[in-house]
Amino acid sequence: MSARELIIKRAAKEVKSNMNINLGIGMPTLVANNLPQGVKNVMFQSENGMLGIGPYPLANEVDPDLINAGKETVTSIKGASYFNSAESFGMIRGGHIDLAILGGMEVSENGDLANWMIPKKLVKGMGGAMDLVHGAKKVVVIMEHTNKNGESKVKPKCDLPLTGCGVVNLLITDLGVFEFIDYEMRLIELQEGVNLEELKSKTLANFKICL
């Protein structure tokens, strides 16, 4: 199983029946295709104005006007609804999103998240992440543990511009799963095939071991 598959399958376990969920662009969108058996009545929201996103469309189902916040074409499920941006962000800020699963560039040991820009690189916009990290009832961040140079993305302090301070509830990487309680980072699971020494060697952040 690839690193991304490990992350996505673990993240899918956070989805429970009857939740309203927002999935960030990129890897988080793949969580929708890996829901655990028995999970029912889940409504996926996109901040560009849709509640009730279905699976990715087959070639003969593509509707270019039906897209998610990442500009990907999507389908809708029975009971889906459409609304404007004001209502969409009202839904987020009003605490009606049970779970947000977002990608991350860096996460700090006290739960800060950086996921929206790299200085001096073109950014199309900050999207809805800054609202989601404060409005969703639970924020799960999924990302690979290290960057392409093998450097830890789990740090004592984020170097990149922050999306939110102390906003991460759960971090899932290809090496382990961490929860944040009262700004304390706790290792609660190791991914399959990973041992503690390997994880420690690839993590700059300080964390409490709660396996």
Side-chain angles (χ1 to χ4, degrees):
M1 190 179 297
S2 71
R4 286 169 64 90
E5 289 173 330
L6 275 175
I7 294 168
I8 292 164
K9 287 189 178 296
R10 177 58 186 84
K13 293 181 180 178
E14 297 302 311
V15 177
K16 312 298 181 190
S17 295
N18 304 310
M19 278 184 164
N20 293 324
I21 300 173
N22 187 295
L23 299 177
I25 62 175
M27 186 162 56
T29 61
L30 301 176
V31 172
N33 295 335
N34 290 273
L35 298 186
Q37 286 190 344
V39 171
K40 299 177 181 177
N41 193 35
V42 172
M43 299 291 275
F44 291 105
Q45 190 240 22
S46 179
E47 60 263 31
N48 63 326
M50 184 176 176
L51 182 67
I53 295 173
Y56 282 111
L58 300 174
N60 62 351
E61 296 176 328
V62 172
D63 178 350
D65 291 325
L66 197 59
I67 59 173
N68 62 19
K71 310 296 187 293
E72 301 169 310
T73 54
V74 295
T75 61
S76 60
I77 63 172
K78 184 179 180 180
S81 57
Y82 306 91
F83 33 84
N84 62 34
S85 291
E87 291 172 321
S88 180
F89 280 88
M91 189 180 298
I92 295 169
R93 295 171 186 174
H96 303 291
I97 300 300
D98 299 298
L99 175 66
I101 300 178
L102 306 172
M105 296 175 181
E106 294 177 344
V107 170
S108 78
E109 62 191 35
N110 66 344
D112 296 346
L113 170 65
N115 80 341
W116 72 282
M117 75 168 296
I118 297 174
K120 298 183 180 179
K121 288 198 173 183
L122 179 65
V123 180
K124 294 180 180 178
M126 63 183 69
M130 290 184 183
D131 285 85
L132 285 164
V133 296
H134 293 290
K137 295 174 183 174
K138 183 173 183 178
V139 175
V140 175
V141 173
I142 62 176
M143 66 181 192
E144 293 181 352
H145 204 92
T146 58
N147 64 23
K148 60 184 179 182
N149 298 318
E151 299 163 337
S152 177
K153 295 163 65 176
V154 187
K155 301 180 170 185
K157 184 179 179 181
C158 294
D159 295 314
L160 296 173
L162 293 183
T163 307
C165 298
V167 294
V168 180
N169 299 118
L170 193 73
L171 169 64
I172 301 171
T173 77
D174 50 316
L175 299 186
V177 181
F178 303 85
E179 67 177 2
F180 296 82
I181 298 178
D182 295 330
Y183 301 100
E184 182 182 69
M185 184 176 181
R186 301 178 179 186
L187 174 66
I188 58 172
E189 296 176 33
L190 290 169
Q191 290 283 21
E192 184 179 340
V194 177
N195 63 52
L196 184 57
E197 292 310 310
E198 179 187 4
L199 184 142
K200 283 182 175 179
S201 70
K202 295 180 178 177
T203 307
L204 288 176
N206 297 299
F207 58 88
K208 184 177 181 180
I209 299 171
C210 299
L211 297 172

